[in-house]
Amino acid sequence: MENGILTEAQQKDAELIELLLEKVVKKKGFENIRANAEGYDTPAKIRRSKDSEEYFIPDVTGEVNGRKSYFELGLKTDDERQVVTKWRLLSSLAAYKHGKLYLAVPRGHMAFTNRLLADYPIQAEVVKI
């Protein structure tokens, strides 16, 4: 697993990413799957800004009918600003590529995810895992 902004801070569990892949990505028929996990190609790094050396790495990306979608784990964190920045960026990229941003939310993290989506202009589909 490669570390970008938030990847290390949130301690994303490889088991949760595997669960996301099995229950959401593969079930919905996505192809060209890239995941920030063992056994998969790592998704492309997305720079925070033109002049920045910092970058985000999506948890999972996939394509269906030529439309690229992004998949993220919706996990509670103290650094809300970074999460909102990443989700807004991925939501915009997904819309640009005629895809969607999917937020896979494990048990205990739904209220946090829903609050952020209500407070900020982020287009995302929430999926329980």
Side-chain angles (χ1 to χ4, degrees):
M1 179 177 285
E2 262 193 75
N3 288 330
I5 301 172
L6 294 177
T7 309
E8 196 173 87
Q10 283 190 301
Q11 295 301 313
K12 294 198 175 173
D13 191 349
E15 290 177 22
L16 284 176
I17 292 180
E18 283 297 324
L19 193 61
L20 165 64
L21 285 162
E22 291 302 317
K23 287 199 168 188
V24 182
V25 181
K26 291 178 182 175
K27 205 174 197 180
K28 290 186 181 283
F30 282 87
E31 300 169 346
N32 299 332
I33 299 169
R34 293 174 166 256
N36 197 5
E38 292 291 322
Y40 290 90
D41 290 336
T42 304
K45 298 173 184 174
I46 301 165
R47 273 194 214 217
R48 185 176 184 160
S49 67
K50 237 193 298 189
D51 305 329
S52 177
E53 290 298 315
E54 296 180 318
Y55 55 86
F56 294 114
I57 300 174
D59 290 337
V60 179
T61 63
E63 292 180 17
V64 67
N65 298 329
R67 298 169 181 227
K68 188 169 187 176
S69 292
Y70 296 85
F71 301 84
E72 277 292 308
L73 291 170
L75 302 175
K76 283 188 251 184
T77 181
D78 293 334
D79 197 354
E80 286 183 16
R81 206 170 120 242
Q82 293 279 26
V83 171
V84 169
T85 302
K86 183 175 185 181
W87 290 359
R88 286 177 72 180
L89 178 63
L90 293 177
S91 176
S92 297
L93 279 172
Y96 178 73
K97 296 180 180 188
H98 307 291
K100 282 186 182 178
L101 169 62
Y102 293 89
L103 297 176
V105 184
R107 185 178 178 94
H109 298 266
M110 188 61 78
F112 172 80
T113 302
N114 285 335
R115 183 174 54 77
L116 288 185
L117 291 176
D119 290 349
Y120 297 94
I122 300 169
Q123 292 295 324
E125 185 173 319
V126 178
V127 181
K128 290 182 185 179
I129 58 169

